[in-house]
Amino acid sequence: MGTVSLVGAAFGILPSRHLVYSCTRNDNASNWRLLQHRPVIFSGTCAGKRKFLYNGPRGNKSKIVVLANADDSDDYADDEDALSSDGTELVEARKALSEARSGQHATQKERDHLVEELAQSKAKQEEDVANILREKDSAVGELQDAKSVLHQKLKESVEEKFALESKLVLAKQDALELAVQVEKLAEIAFQQATSHILDNAQRRVSAAETSAADAAFKIEEQIRTATEGTISSIIEQSKDAISRALDVAQKAGDHAARAVQVFTDGVGAVDEIASIKSDNIRLEGTVNDLESQLLLRKSEFEMLKVELEQVQKQAQASELRANELEKALFEFQESNKKQTVQKEDEINSFMEKLKEEAEERKEAASKVFKAELESIKSAIEAAEEAARSRDNAYKRRCEALERSLIASEAASKTWRQRAEIAESLILKEDEDEDAIYVNNGGRIDILIDDDSQKWKLLSDGPRREIPQWMARRIKTILPKFPPRRADVLEAPISKFKHLDLPKPDEVWSIAQEKPKVGDTLIEHVIEKETIEKKRKALERVLQRKTSQWQKTPVEKKLESGTGTGREIVFQGFNWESWRRKWYQELAPKAADLSKSGITAVWFPPPTQSVAPQGYMPSDLYNLNSAYGSVEDLKFCIEEMHSQDLLALGDVVLNHRCAEKQSPNGIWNIFGGKLAWGPEAIVCDDPHFEGRGNPSSGDIFHAAPNVDHSQEFVRKDIREWLNWLKSDIGFDGWRLDFVRGFSGTYVKEYIESSNPAFSIGEYWDSLAYEHGSLCYNQDAHRQRIINWINATGGTSSAFDVTTKGILHSALHNEYWRLIDPHGRPTGVMGWWPSRAVTFLENHDTGSTQGHWPFPRDKLAQGHAYILTHPGTPVVFYDHFYDFGMHDIITELIEARRRAGIHCRSTVKIFHANNEGYAALIGDTLVMKLGHLDWNPSKENNLEGSWQKFVDKGCDYQVWIRQ
């Protein structure tokens, strides 16, 4: 391979004119010929776009070198005189050529080293760029993760805030309930203490009055008896003495008359006189005796007087004592009144102290709660600030990485520029190809073709071993370049500017360097850790305090007809559920149902049945049905219990399908454990020849109707229900077709099995007139009420009346939702605690569609039943298949927050064609329809109300703050 050296250009001795040399080298490379050619024109003003032309065939293998002066722009001309014919110039040229060759070898080594460094630097730069991009992507990913974690924490903080607010509301309610209970207890204690004291005082006064009256009566009785006895004895004695004296006087008169007669007659006058004298003496003695007795009686009378005076004195003393007792009683009453007033004052003061203490505790609790809320807010703000700081740090880091990337790209551009310059020095042709060198202001540019493979090598880097032909071509680069002068024309269009950029190693170290103490990033990290520690400490303190504020769990009082009074039932199947292993599909939904606010799940009929839906039962103790095996049923019930959900079994007690035929071909012989015969079937069932008593209800013609008047039948049913409850795990019942037998039997079954909740399906037709629903449906709901009364109130019943009225009322006939007495229509308005409200079930909806609820009014219907008293039932299809999961969950949450239960009161404000508005309980207000109304427009509705649900013209719900 031949090499041409420009001696004049190397030593700067070329003339100012343009010279053209044609050099032909023989095999010995020693003979040079000067050939004169036609002018060859080169444009040396633009280094980026150099073009050349030359004349003459390429077959002569000659190399043409054009030496151009940058300061001279005239046309090229032939100048043969410029070369001396003297051979001295040739010798000098050969000498310069040998020197140039020796310098070329040194330059070639330096060029090889430069190219190798260039390739390594390019590869390293590309690797650095890739690493920086990966680091940037990872930083962006970390930033997104941090943002998602922050949003999650903020969401949790908001949820904690709502939970704390609900706990504060509960605490306030507990405080109010405690204050009310304390007032009631104080009033009861005061009444008991006062009544006890008054009763004692009254008893003492009455006892004193009784004793005083008894003493006075006894004294008066003694005086009366003593006086009457003494006087009567004196009178009797006086009468006796007088009568005796009269007898003696009469006798004396008789003697005197006889004496006079004798005297006159002259017969024994002296004797008569003597006898008279003796009689007078005796009479005088008798008179003396009478006088002495009279004196004795007088003395006794005096003594009685003295005793009477003493008795009177005693009576007076007793009277004085009675007066003293009355006075003492009066004083006692006065003192008792004073003590009572004092105790009332003490109790009032005690109550005031309790109220003050309750207020203080409430204020303290609210202050603590507010402080903790503030601390939580500050923690959240600090967390947000930390997140923002971290975001800023990530942004700064990303910016640094971007700057590093830009610097790397700039460096790569610089190296690419150098590579372009180096590439321009590489000749593409082989040994016999021409190389054209252009001198541009003291700098030599090597022209190469556009399809050079060196650009690909320098762009892609040394990915593989350099081939030999490439190594040979690299060696063709000229030696060290002289420094290039700044070209004024090139400066404005130059794409590369000098930047004070870090080296690639420094860029890599910035991207990978860990934070150090004192750096901004590490300060934010430390601040974040400190805030996180404070937040966790606040959470622990708050958890300890809220655990103290939690209400003491009260044992739930279950009532067979209403459960806890706050039940929300979920019908966990539809008419087509039997087609799948339903128990296995229903069990995983327990957690979601409990989280949504459901409290009880209504299971399909569990027994073996002639019809797959379960409503034609045969063997009651065989629970392997189309819905699944008995093991699947037990597992599903356990899943419900693990989420605190009641399991309600759908039991069919009205009828039962026989397994065998009688000798005359009638299906009335039952099988299984309860092997009944025709005596268990009512006699007025026309198809099954029952030998029991007449039915106590309507006849279900598709299967034998069970005679519940038979003792053995009731005994077997009671045992079966208790077996379902104890062995299988059911908590309550849904009773199918209860119109077929009397409610008194239902009462017996419920009292025996003691369910937590029970619902009776008393289905009856509403009243219609000319195809339209009548406004007055009192007869319909009265029939349902009568059945509930027959059960003794032990069971609830489906409020079919409310369902039927809602079908028409929600079509701008909201006036149907209020009865003439201002109460809700349906069973809800008369006996809300026993009303089970619903919109659809497996009979009315699903694939049967006997009485489907208007699809476009489902949201309004749920808003009505879930905010009103009674026990609402949510249908499976609505909750999971109709896309109403979130709507129903939101309404259940409103019901829970407002504390609505089955006995809540309803005050209806408006019910007309435009809409419906009502206050339920004391804490919830709801509106249906286009009615322009809100709580602030109601004069009799006080308090602050917060809108909880807003569905526009469909419904709106407010909750008292």
Side-chain angles (χ1 to χ4, degrees):
M1 178 179 294
T3 305
V4 178
S5 176
L6 303 180
V7 179
F11 293 95
I13 59 175
L14 294 178
S16 61
R17 299 186 61 185
H18 302 284
L19 301 178
V20 179
Y21 294 93
S22 176
C23 302
T24 303
R25 190 185 61 177
N26 297 327
D27 295 335
N28 296 328
S30 60
N31 295 323
W32 289 77
R33 250 181 342 150
L34 181 64
L35 301 176
Q36 182 177 1
H37 289 273
R38 297 170 66 180
V40 181
I41 301 172
F42 293 91
S43 179
T45 60
C46 183
K49 298 181 180 179
R50 290 184 293 268
K51 300 180 180 179
F52 63 90
L53 299 171
Y54 81 99
N55 294 329
R58 296 180 59 88
N60 58 4
K61 297 182 180 179
S62 62
K63 296 183 180 180
I64 300 172
V65 179
V66 180
L67 303 177
N69 190 352
D71 297 331
D72 192 359
S73 60
D74 295 336
D75 296 333
Y76 293 102
D78 296 334
D79 193 358
E80 297 179 354
D81 296 335
L83 296 176
S84 176
S85 58
D86 196 9
T88 58
E89 291 184 0
L90 182 60
V91 173
E92 292 178 356
R94 289 180 178 177
K95 185 177 179 181
L97 179 62
S98 62
E99 291 177 357
R101 285 179 179 176
S102 61
Q104 180 183 4
H105 291 295
T107 306
Q108 184 177 358
K109 292 181 181 180
E110 185 177 358
R111 175 190 55 75
D112 293 340
H113 181 68
L114 179 63
V115 170
E116 184 178 359
E117 287 183 354
L118 176 64
Q120 292 178 355
S121 175
K122 182 67 176 179
K124 190 171 183 181
Q125 285 178 359
E126 292 179 351
E127 185 178 0
D128 292 344
V129 169
N131 292 329
I132 291 170
L133 290 175
R134 285 196 299 271
E135 182 67 21
K136 179 181 178 181
D137 293 336
S138 63
V140 172
E142 291 178 0
L143 181 61
Q144 294 294 333
D145 294 338
K147 286 183 178 180
S148 63
V149 171
L150 177 61
H151 289 308
Q152 184 67 25
K153 288 184 178 180
L154 290 176
K155 184 178 179 181
E156 292 176 356
S157 301
V158 173
E159 291 178 354
E160 288 180 1
K161 177 182 177 183
F162 284 125
L164 291 174
E165 290 179 353
S166 62
K167 289 179 180 179
L168 179 61
V169 172
L170 290 176
K172 291 181 179 179
Q173 292 179 354
D174 294 339
L176 292 174
E177 290 178 359
L178 179 62
V180 172
Q181 290 177 0
V182 169
E183 289 181 358
K184 289 182 178 178
L185 290 174
E187 184 178 359
I188 292 170
F190 174 72
Q191 290 178 355
Q192 289 179 352
T194 307
S195 62
H196 179 67
I197 295 169
L198 291 175
D199 291 339
N200 291 332
Q202 290 177 356
R203 282 196 295 271
R204 290 178 182 177
V205 171
S206 60
E209 290 177 351
T210 304
S211 60
D214 291 339
F217 177 75
K218 288 180 181 179
I219 292 170
E220 291 177 356
E221 187 66 23
Q222 289 178 359
I223 294 170
R224 186 178 60 79
T225 54
T227 306
E228 289 179 355
T230 305
I231 295 172
S232 60
S233 61
I234 293 170
I235 293 171
E236 289 295 331
Q237 291 177 1
S238 301
K239 286 181 178 179
D240 292 339
I242 292 170
S243 61
R244 287 197 300 271
L246 290 174
D247 291 339
V248 172
Q250 187 176 2
K251 290 178 180 180
D254 292 340
H255 286 295
R258 283 195 302 269
V260 170
Q261 186 177 1
V262 170
F263 179 75
T264 59
D265 290 341
V267 180
V270 177
D271 295 333
E272 287 294 332
I273 293 170
S275 62
I276 291 168
K277 286 183 178 179
S278 61
D279 291 334
N280 288 330
I281 291 169
R282 285 196 301 272
L283 182 59
E284 288 177 358
T286 302
V287 171
N288 291 330
D289 293 333
L290 290 172
E291 288 178 354
S292 60
Q293 289 179 2
L294 183 60
L295 291 173
L296 290 173
R297 299 296 181 225
K298 286 182 178 180
S299 62
E300 290 177 359
F301 184 73
E302 292 295 333
M303 292 175 64
L304 288 174
K305 281 184 177 180
V306 173
E307 290 178 359
L308 180 60
E309 291 176 357
Q310 292 177 356
V311 170
Q312 288 177 351
K313 290 179 181 180
Q314 291 177 358
Q316 290 177 357
S318 299
E319 190 175 352
L320 291 174
R321 284 197 299 273
N323 292 330
E324 291 177 356
L325 287 174
E326 289 179 358
K327 185 176 180 182
L329 177 61
F330 180 74
E331 292 176 354
F332 176 75
Q333 290 177 349
E334 291 295 329
S335 63
N336 189 14
K337 288 180 181 179
K338 291 180 180 179
Q339 291 177 359
T340 303
V341 172
Q342 186 177 0
K343 288 183 178 179
E344 287 180 354
D345 295 336
E346 292 177 356
I347 291 172
N348 291 329
S349 62
F350 179 69
M351 289 299 299
E352 291 295 331
K353 288 181 181 179
L354 286 177
K355 289 181 180 178
E356 291 176 357
E357 291 177 357
E359 290 294 332
E360 290 176 356
R361 287 196 296 269
K362 181 178 177 182
E363 291 178 358
S366 62
K367 287 181 180 178
V368 172
F369 182 73
K370 289 179 180 178
E372 290 178 354
L373 282 180
E374 292 296 330
S375 62
I376 291 172
K377 288 180 180 178
S378 61
I380 293 172
E381 292 175 357
E384 292 177 352
E385 185 65 27
R388 285 195 294 271
S389 301
R390 185 174 60 186
D391 294 342
N392 294 331
Y394 277 117
K395 287 180 181 178
R396 288 195 295 272
R397 188 174 182 183
C398 291
E399 290 174 357
L401 291 174
E402 288 177 357
R403 288 194 299 271
S404 302
L405 181 61
I406 293 171
S408 177
E409 291 177 352
S412 66
K413 288 180 180 179
T414 304
W415 284 109
R416 184 175 295 174
Q417 181 183 11
R418 293 179 183 178
E420 289 176 354
I421 296 172
E423 184 184 4
S424 65
L425 300 176
I426 299 173
L427 294 176
K428 185 177 180 181
E429 59 263 347
D430 296 327
E431 296 178 357
D432 54 349
E433 292 180 350
D434 296 336
I436 300 173
Y437 302 88
V438 179
N439 179 21
N440 189 7
R443 183 180 179 89
I444 297 177
D445 292 335
I446 301 177
L447 303 178
I448 61 174
D449 295 337
D450 293 337
D451 57 350
S452 175
Q453 296 294 326
K454 283 77 176 176
W455 171 254
K456 184 176 180 181
L457 173 66
L458 295 175
S459 299
D460 298 338
R463 302 298 181 189
R464 58 183 182 275
E465 255 181 78
I466 301 176
Q468 293 182 358
W469 65 269
M470 183 67 68
R472 288 194 301 270
R473 289 186 181 180
I474 291 174
K475 293 179 182 179
T476 61
I477 300 177
L478 293 176
K480 182 185 295 184
F481 302 106
R484 183 180 181 182
R485 286 185 309 181
D487 196 345
V488 178
L489 298 175
E490 291 183 6
I493 60 174
S494 178
K495 297 181 180 179
F496 305 98
K497 295 181 180 180
H498 177 70
L499 297 175
D500 188 9
L501 300 176
K503 296 179 180 179
D505 294 335
E506 295 176 354
V507 173
W508 179 256
S509 64
I510 292 173
Q512 296 293 329
E513 187 179 14
K514 294 183 179 180
K516 298 180 181 179
V517 178
D519 294 343
T520 305
L521 182 60
I522 194 62
E523 290 178 357
H524 287 304
V525 171
I526 295 173
E527 184 180 3
K528 177 188 174 185
E529 292 177 353
T530 305
I531 293 172
E532 189 70 18
K533 290 179 181 178
K534 290 182 179 179
R535 187 184 66 79
K536 290 182 178 179
L538 287 173
E539 286 180 352
R540 289 193 295 269
V541 173
L542 184 61
Q543 186 176 7
R544 288 196 298 270
K545 290 187 176 298
T546 52
S547 63
Q548 296 175 0
W549 291 345
Q550 287 178 354
K551 186 177 180 180
T552 305
V554 181
E555 184 180 358
K556 293 182 179 179
K557 183 180 179 181
L558 297 176
E559 191 175 346
S560 61
T562 62
T564 60
R566 302 180 186 273
E567 305 300 341
I568 299 177
V569 182
F570 175 75
Q571 182 177 358
F573 65 99
N574 57 30
W575 191 250
E576 303 298 331
S577 298
W578 61 273
R579 299 183 184 276
R580 304 190 294 273
K581 297 296 183 183
W582 190 248
Y583 296 142
Q584 297 178 6
E585 291 192 15
L586 183 61
K589 293 180 172 61
D592 180 58
L593 293 173
S594 178
K595 184 179 179 181
S596 300
I598 301 296
T599 64
V601 178
W602 166 12
F603 279 68
T607 56
Q608 181 188 20
S609 173
V610 174
Q613 291 82 10
Y615 290 100
M616 300 288 284
S618 55
D619 185 3
L620 297 183
Y621 280 91
N622 185 359
L623 302 186
N624 294 311
S625 65
Y627 298 100
S629 63
V630 63
E631 290 78 13
D632 295 338
L633 173 60
K634 288 184 178 180
F635 173 75
C636 188
I637 292 176
E638 289 176 358
E639 287 296 308
M640 299 301 164
H641 288 169
S642 67
Q643 299 295 331
D644 295 329
L645 297 173
L646 297 176
L648 307 181
D650 197 332
V651 292
V652 183
L653 303 180
N654 176 75
H655 50 272
R656 182 185 174 195
C657 293
E659 295 185 2
K660 297 179 182 179
Q661 290 177 303
S662 64
N664 55 357
I666 302 299
W667 291 90
N668 56 12
I669 306 299
F670 302 98
K673 186 175 180 179
L674 304 181
W676 298 339
E679 66 278 0
I681 303 174
V682 296
C683 62
D684 49 355
D685 193 340
H687 303 291
F688 299 100
E689 296 183 357
R691 295 200 296 267
N693 296 317
S695 175
S696 58
D698 297 338
I699 297 296
F700 181 78
H701 298 285
N705 285 247
V706 176
D707 182 12
H708 292 271
S709 64
Q710 303 291 341
E711 176 60 32
F712 74 92
V713 172
R714 296 200 307 276
K715 177 177 177 296
D716 289 344
I717 291 177
R718 291 196 301 268
E719 292 177 355
W720 177 63
L721 291 175
N722 283 294
W723 175 77
L724 288 177
K725 186 178 179 183
S726 59
D727 290 10
I728 306 303
F730 284 112
D731 303 297
W733 320 119
R734 183 263 182 187
L735 306 171
D736 182 68
F737 196 73
V738 294
R739 285 180 55 186
F741 55 101
S742 175
T744 56
Y745 302 127
V746 174
K747 178 181 180 182
E748 181 179 350
Y749 299 145
I750 289 178
E751 289 177 349
S752 174
S753 59
N754 191 24
F757 190 74
S758 64
I759 315 169
E761 184 204 18
Y762 192 93
W763 196 275
D764 200 0
S765 298
L766 279 74
Y768 290 87
E769 184 176 1
H770 304 298
S772 300
L773 183 71
C774 296
Y775 169 71
N776 190 346
Q777 297 293 334
D778 290 349
H780 184 269
R781 58 175 170 174
Q782 185 62 55
R783 289 192 290 273
I784 302 176
I785 294 292
N786 292 338
W787 181 85
I788 299 173
N789 279 325
T791 67
T794 57
S795 177
S796 299
F798 285 110
D799 193 352
V800 184
T801 315
T802 295
K803 170 183 167 56
I805 292 173
L806 282 174
H807 276 254
S808 300
L810 298 182
H811 290 87
N812 298 326
E813 296 180 359
Y814 299 99
W815 46 267
R816 294 182 179 274
L817 298 177
I818 183 171
D819 66 4
H821 301 285
R823 292 176 293 189
T825 52
V827 181
M828 182 199 304
W830 282 0
W831 202 345
S833 65
R834 300 299 187 271
V836 178
T837 55
F838 71 105
L839 300 182
E840 274 186 3
N841 57 27
H842 60 285
D843 288 322
T844 65
S846 190
T847 56
Q848 292 202 97
H850 289 163
W851 195 20
F853 200 83
R855 182 67 65 89
D856 59 334
K857 300 298 180 182
L858 282 174
Q860 279 191 333
H862 282 102
Y864 182 80
I865 66 172
L866 288 173
T867 58
H868 278 66
T871 302
V873 177
V874 177
F875 187 36
Y876 180 91
D877 292 3
H878 298 166
F879 198 66
Y880 284 115
D881 295 341
F882 287 8
M884 301 189 67
H885 181 283
D886 296 339
I887 294 174
I888 295 174
T889 302
E890 188 178 38
L891 290 170
I892 292 175
E893 178 65 16
R895 181 184 183 92
R896 184 191 66 80
R897 290 196 181 188
I900 304 302
H901 51 82
C902 68
R903 295 178 176 84
S904 295
T905 59
V906 179
K907 183 179 181 181
I908 300 174
F909 297 122
H910 300 282
N912 49 38
N913 290 330
E914 295 181 356
Y916 170 88
L919 168 67
I920 300 92
D922 294 328
T923 56
L924 186 141
V925 172
M926 66 92 62
K927 177 184 77 73
L928 299 174
H930 299 271
L931 182 66
D932 185 13
W933 183 89
N934 59 64
S936 62
K937 295 184 178 181
E938 196 65 38
N939 295 328
N940 298 325
L941 190 58
E942 299 178 353
S944 177
W945 298 87
Q946 181 181 7
K947 185 177 290 186
F948 187 79
V949 182
D950 187 0
K951 297 298 181 181
C953 296
D954 282 345
Y955 62 90
Q956 294 179 356
V957 178
W958 293 267
I959 295 178
R960 187 189 296 272
Q961 292 183 349

